[in-house]
Amino acid sequence: MSDAYNYDQGKVFFKPTLAYGDQTFRNDKKGALAYFVGGDADYPNDKGFALKPWVKARYDNAGNNNEGIQIYGSVAITMGNVWVTDKEGNEVMVDKTWVFRKGEDGKLRIIVHKSSLPYKPETK
């Protein structure tokens, strides 16, 4: 987690796909780990998103010609969709926004991770 997210170097804003209520936002490493691997009594609703037997994932940036990517100095922003497929072949699409920051060590780490299921209007 320390190589991917900026928790050890500074702030991270994280809104996981399946988090809700008073635990919607995970602005500390403990909350993020609970979401991904579960088993934390302080986060009883987390089952471990990363532990589900995902077999495939793909990502598309929003727009054409990488319009969903912006780079400003040491900060890069991406927005688009991620599709994950489980071992039964069920595919889920998630809307994603990530902001990366290049640290003093030269590594890119996530400083903002916003994830949600797509809006589906009610049908009448």
Side-chain angles (χ1 to χ4, degrees):
M1 169 149 283
S2 294
D3 284 340
Y5 288 82
N6 198 61
Y7 288 111
D8 294 340
Q9 288 75 32
K11 288 185 181 182
V12 175
F13 297 145
F14 180 24
K15 191 289 178 193
T17 309
L18 303 176
Y20 61 94
D22 64 351
Q23 296 186 332
T24 297
F25 301 102
R26 306 301 176 87
N27 297 334
D28 62 21
K29 192 175 185 178
K30 175 180 169 59
L33 280 170
Y35 179 75
F36 286 120
V37 299
D40 187 322
D42 291 335
Y43 295 89
N45 297 315
D46 290 349
K47 307 301 181 214
F49 181 84
L51 300 179
K52 185 167 177 138
W54 303 113
V55 297
K56 184 169 62 170
R58 61 188 171 96
Y59 182 86
D60 282 334
N61 290 312
N64 298 318
N65 301 316
N66 288 320
E67 291 170 352
I69 299 173
Q70 299 178 42
I71 299 173
Y72 302 98
S74 63
V75 174
I77 306 162
T78 67
M79 184 171 66
N81 299 110
V82 172
W83 290 262
V84 290
T85 306
D86 66 18
K87 67 181 181 178
E88 285 85 32
N90 300 306
E91 185 176 67
V92 177
M93 183 183 78
V94 180
D95 298 333
K96 293 275 195 179
T97 300
W98 280 293
V99 179
F100 299 86
R101 181 180 152 287
K102 188 174 184 178
E104 291 179 14
D105 61 1
K107 293 183 180 180
L108 285 176
R109 290 187 182 85
I110 298 166
I111 59 173
V112 176
H113 176 169
K114 170 35 171 104
S115 179
S116 61
L117 295 172
Y119 171 70
K120 290 184 181 177
E122 291 183 34
T123 58
K124 294 181 182 189

